[in-house]
Amino acid sequence: MTERRGSIGAERQRTATDTPLVVQDWDTLTFRVHRSAYRDENVFADERARIWDRSWLYLGHETEIPEPNDFVVRNLGGRPLIFCRDTEGELHAFLNSCPHRGTVLCRESRGSTKLFQCFYHAWTFRNNGDVAAIPDQVAYSGDDFRESMALRPVARLETFEGFVFVSFTADVPPLHEHLGAAADYLTMIREQHVGGMEVLPGTQLYSVKGNWKLGVENAMDGYHFSPTHNTFVGYLRETGFAVDDDDQYAYNLGNGHSLLILTGHGGRISMLWEPRFGEAERERTAEHRREMEQRLGSERAHLVADESHILFVFPNLLLFDLEGLSIRQLEPVAPGHTDVRAWQLVPRVEDADVRDLRMRTMVSFVGPGGLATPDDIEAYEAVQRGIEATAGDARTELDYSDMSRGMASELTDDRGRSTDEGAMRGFWRHWVRTIGQDPVDIGTPPPPRAEPVPQPSKRPHGLDEILAGLGAEAQEVTR
């Protein structure tokens, strides 16, 4: 039986030195997160040890290195890595650290090479990790020395639908088990186009003066869309798209993953037409939708094409499957500093004018200079600045942020709306357990229940909408 606790301050005294990070009150239906979770160095160290060193992390997409001998380098969980294909085309992820004395081995951001050579002492390694040359090797004794100095691989590497994940410990479940219900949404991405998808060359890299978890909250927060992005909302309405929040829901997918299903956010290039895409794109979209229905069936095509998705895969992957598709990777640097990398995922086969439309539309919203991302960065940098106001306040109950919106739905079988904060609550519950605490319950928590299963939207079938806007002659062309 859960003990009734009268206040956050009393709970803090009860635990002596450990302030409860997540407190959920089932009597008042409130959910609060202690702000030290965003700013405390000890919390950040716990995250590094318990999350980033012990979980599956998104490394990159296999199409970033399409050919044998291709490589890219990037930091992941604070560790420098080489992500590469060997001469046979097999994928590898090695620590970017010479086994000799620890020097960063590969100093280029990307390229193609069969060999990696350390500039310090000229030790050289093949791209499968084997030692190729050690200058004056006779000075080292023992027949096994050379083999013991191979490049250090990550403990685990697995790929699903082209998305490559790694773990720095072998003690993790199979990747598909970790992905759970999130896996099907990665499959939906691959199913959008018969030729599959690929990442375009080039990385959007920017730093945010805010905690990485604020990036997760922001992505799962449909509540902020209209007030924060009012310029974009006004633009959509002026172009003839009716923005609304109806029939839009948030889901917890388990293992810390979460999903927003959106239908009133905007169209989708090649799948769901809206006026700003132009008349030529309307006809191309109708043609593509017919192909999707033949290939996937009507219901699956409806799921893949008619809904926009924002998917979070714990702890560092965000997929904005909106007008186009943007991959975003979170890299915590310090409690108040996050690096963000973003890539555009596009159909492998696409007409040049559609590709141009896709890229112009995508960067206009979620790109670093678009109508959304600068708003979002300012919002969560403002949170990071603002949470200092209550740090150390003797009134300990003030040093909590509230995420209670829509909590009543957790006592019923109702789906949480996209404008509620249920997806954030699911994330925080998983996060706090992963770093070694439990949420503190006030009152009696409800019995465990299965999360609502994502349901198809109620919007009319997108193909019907598209064809309704085409003349009879154009409809015949698309049949």
Side-chain angles (χ1 to χ4, degrees), residues 123-173:
W123 285 36
T124 306
F125 304 86
R126 296 185 180 89
N127 55 16
N128 67 356
D130 292 344
V131 175
I134 296 176
D136 195 22
Q137 186 177 332
V138 295
Y140 296 95
S141 62
D143 296 335
D144 297 331
F145 179 80
R146 183 186 179 99
E147 290 185 6
S148 73
M149 286 294 161
L151 292 182
R152 312 313 192 199
V154 296
R156 295 279 295 275
L157 182 151
E158 291 188 31
T159 301
F160 183 77
E161 301 289 17
F163 294 87
V164 182
F165 294 80
V166 298
S167 172
F168 297 123
T169 176
D171 187 21
V172 288

Side-chain angles (χ1 to χ4, degrees), residues 271-273 282 285-286 289 462-470:
M271 288 182 286
L272 187 62
W273 183 83
R282 190 205 297 253
T285 301
R289 287 298 299 270
L463 178 58
D464 297 335
E465 291 183 328
I466 295 163
L467 292 179
L470 294 173

Side-chain angles (χ1 to χ4, degrees), residues 40-103:
D40 188 84
E41 292 284 356
N42 292 325
V43 172
F44 187 78
D46 284 344
E47 290 177 335
R48 185 74 86 203
R50 295 172 178 266
I51 297 177
W52 303 94
D53 287 351
R54 300 185 191 178
S55 303
W56 284 109
L57 306 176
Y58 175 67
L59 172 62
H61 198 271
E62 62 183 9
T63 60
E64 292 182 69
I65 45 173
E67 301 296 333
N69 306 318
D70 285 351
F71 73 88
V72 297
V73 301
R74 62 182 48 126
N75 281 10
L76 190 65
R79 302 173 190 259
L81 298 180
I82 302 171
F83 176 34
C84 67
R85 290 188 188 271
D86 63 24
T87 55
E88 302 299 320
E90 184 177 350
L91 290 170
H92 298 275
F94 299 111
L95 301 181
N96 191 5
S97 172
C98 182
H100 175 215
R101 298 270 288 279
T103 313

